[in-house]
Amino acid sequence: MTFTPTHVDDTPAVCRCCGRHARGIGVGINKDPGYLCGECVLLVEEIKRIRRMDPYELAARAGGMDAAASLVEEFGPDLSTWEEEQVLIFCGAVWQGCADRLRELIRKGDIPF
């Protein structure tokens, strides 16, 4: 999950990585530096390696959400009460829904490659 920094006067207020209070140290080359909190600053080398989802992967998530909706209605909204097999079915449906949506985007030509 990505948090866009908000500002209190000229001071960044939200960590770009976790959403906690930022300390003003950022990561980024030729763009918004992505200010970090004190704890995330300690992990800056690892955070720089994190690959964010591209817009097409983000759009594909909607397919997973659509696929999961009927299962939530069928099994109930409290996932903690589900049996292991129900959770596996749910995960498979989300995975398949994302993949199907990405293929749909590819067929439409709505991708950059």
Side-chain angles (χ1 to χ4, degrees), residues 75-113:
F75 300 151
D78 186 358
L79 278 62
S80 67
T81 63
W82 291 7
E83 299 292 325
E84 182 179 357
E85 184 62 25
Q86 291 172 311
V87 173
L88 292 171
I89 291 168
F90 178 79
C91 292
V94 170
W95 190 328
Q96 187 66 48
C98 290
D100 290 346
R101 183 63 54 93
L102 187 57
R103 283 190 287 275
E104 178 184 324
L105 293 170
I106 291 169
R107 276 189 226 102
K108 288 181 179 178
D110 293 339
I111 54 161
F113 51 83

